[in-house]
Each structure stands twice: as C-alpha cells, then as structure tokens.
Amino acid sequence: MPEKLLRIENLHVTYSSEIADVYAVNGVSLELGCGETLGLVGETGAGKTTTVKAIMKLLSEGVGEITQGEIYLEDINMRTCSEKQACTLRGKTVSMIFQDPMSALNPVYTVGDQILEGLRTHNPNASTKELQKRVDEMMELVGIPAERKNGYPHEFSGGMKQRIVIAIALACEPKLILADEPTTALDVTIQAQMLALIRDLQRRMNTAMILITHDFGVVGQTCERVAVMYGGEIVESGKVEQIFRADKLHPYTRGLLNAIPKLDQDFRRLETIDGMVPDPTVKIVGCPFADRCKHTTARCRQPQTEIEVEPGHIIKCCLFDPHPEA
C-alpha cells in the first residue's frame, strides 16, 4: 500500500485550439493521504477543475493534454494508464461530484438506474436484488426516500438532485472524492445541509476528498489542509489553521481572506483585489499575480521558488525569500 493515496508531480495541462493554446495548469504538485480533506481554492480560471479532471483522466480528447508531470493514484500512473484501466478506477477508487447536477444527471434515465450503473460495473457478480438494495441504501443515506428511485431528474428539486449526484459518487465507496464546487448552485440553507452530508458520509467511509471552492468559509468548516491556486499554479498551501492565523501569507491569499465579511468588525465595504486574472493563452515566466500585487518588484518577473515559512506552510512568493539576492 503506497504511503500517499494521491501524488501529483509538476503537472502541466494545455488546451489546444486553432485560435490559441490555453495554459490551464502550470506546474501543480500536491499529495493527499487516506481520509484527508484538501480544499482547492481560487478564482474562476485558476485551473482547479482542470486539475481534478486530469486526475480522473477526463480531459477532452484532442483538446486537453497533460504536457508534463505525473499523477499517481495509489501505484497507478493516471497519465500513462489505458482508458480501460481508468474505467476500472472511476467510481471504485476515485469518484467525482460535479458542480451542476442538471448536466451531471441523464434526463432520460431514472435516478435509481443512474446509481445502479456504477454499482453494476464494479460488482459484476452481485445479484440484481443485492444491487437494488444498495441503491435503496444510498437513497436513504442522502436523505431521499428509496421509493423515489424510479423518478426522473426533472421530478426533483436542485438540492435533491445534488444529493443524488453525491449518492452516485459514493455508491461504490471510493477512496477519493473530487468535489467540484458541489454547493455553488444551491441556496445558503441547502448548501449547509450538503456540506454537513458530505462531511458525515466522508467520516463514515474514511474517504479522502479534494473540495474545490471559491469560499474560504467552506474550507474552514470542511477541510484539514488548503491549497490556493492562481494562474494555474499553487501559490500557497498548508494546514487550514496555518492559513487562517498566519502573519505571513501570499498577497493573493491575503486578498481572498480580506474579502470575507467579519462579524466582529464594522465596515461599509469589503476589500477587493484590483485587476483581472492573467491571460491563460500567454505563458508567464514569473509570478502570475504580479500585475495585481501591491508588492511587485523586478524579482517577481523571474521564476518563483517555494518557501517554507513554517513547517508544512509553503508560499510561492519572493516576498518571503530569506536570500533575495541569491
């Protein structure tokens, strides 16, 4: 058994078209152990979804390509394994909760059949009675009566559809869940219910999870570690308490945290980060946040190195380089 459930080493992903190449992920490295929860935070276009799609080997063929780096799921290299081998891993070893349940669910199949599909694939010797019993269990587990399994997606509310997507993802008890903003399209009350449900199911099954979100508040409630992405790179990572309480933070991370409303402070306007995200069709040599940062110097236009400001807390910013002239 490998020491880490997931290892990503220097991952680069490019989307190619006739118009331009999009450099979506640029040198991402991370690790995840069994049962751990990692929050992947960043603005739209930071490369979060592309990273988890690469883990699942779900990049669009002929468009998205891993140009450099490796992804190891247990002992299997997801970059070089066959599509057949990847299919045996999806659902059983790694599963994904997609952002939009409307597009994740097939409108012409009952929700019970969609839960059943993965179970049948990974349990070919199980009887129909056994599989249907598991479908009923999963429906009840996510808070939907089992007798509604013969309903179609359009017969369920948005929150219930998201519960069904979670049931599909967890039906085969995977070792790793990739949750791509699973609560973004839901109202605040249902969002809290979904997060509580995911946490509860994760603890019961000892499942590791990567949670993609824009919301540091969600990370604080759900995750043990956090990685902040910007411009296709991880610019900061560490334990959640390190990021929330640290004096030393990447300027981008500080900007995100300052944008969170604080109940113990009186203010009229939230802080914002000026400027726009970098053009993903242009390869950036230095720090991708340099054009929006208040601390930018000539050194920021050069390749940045990862600096461990405290054990386990890593920042990719020359602002914290103890040897700036080296």
Side-chain angles (χ1 to χ4, degrees), residues 203-219:
R203 290 191 193 105
R204 288 193 205 183
M205 299 178 180
N206 191 35
T207 302
M209 178 168 69
I210 295 178
L211 175 65
I212 294 176
T213 180
H214 296 277
D215 191 340
F216 257 116
V218 170
V219 169

Side-chain angles (χ1 to χ4, degrees), residues 1 36 74-75 78 86 101 121 146 158 186 205 208 226 231 240 243 255 263 275-276 302 321:
M1 185 76 177
E36 284 188 326
E74 294 188 321
D75 288 325
M78 296 299 290
T121 299
L186 306 176
M205 299 178 180
V226 59
V240 168
I243 304 298
L263 298 179
M276 299 290 291
Q302 302 171 23
D321 192 343

Side-chain angles (χ1 to χ4, degrees), residues 84-110:
K84 183 177 181 180
Q85 189 174 19
C87 286
T88 65
L89 296 171
R90 296 186 198 119
K92 186 66 175 176
T93 301
V94 58
S95 194
M96 192 162 178
I97 301 173
F98 293 94
Q99 181 175 354
D100 181 10
M102 285 296 292
S103 58
L105 295 171
N106 191 321
V108 300
Y109 288 95
T110 66

Side-chain angles (χ1 to χ4, degrees), residues 8-13 25-29 51 54 66 68-69 71:
I8 301 178
E9 301 175 356
N10 193 32
L11 179 67
H12 291 251
V13 179
V25 177
N26 306 299
V28 165
S29 297
T51 299
I66 298 175
Q68 189 177 336
I71 301 171

Side-chain angles (χ1 to χ4, degrees), residues 189-206:
T189 304
I190 301 300
Q191 182 181 100
Q193 292 177 5
M194 290 298 101
L195 289 172
L197 173 64
I198 292 170
R199 286 200 306 271
D200 181 52
L201 295 177
Q202 185 193 8
R203 290 191 193 105
R204 288 193 205 183
M205 299 178 180
N206 191 35

Side-chain angles (χ1 to χ4, degrees), residues 23-28 42-47 228-235 252 277-278 280 282 284 288-289:
Y23 305 102
V25 177
N26 306 299
V28 165
E43 292 176 77
T44 299
V228 181
M229 284 194 75
Y230 186 82
E233 301 179 22
I234 292 179
V235 296
Y252 177 61
V277 294
V282 178
I284 299 173
F289 190 61

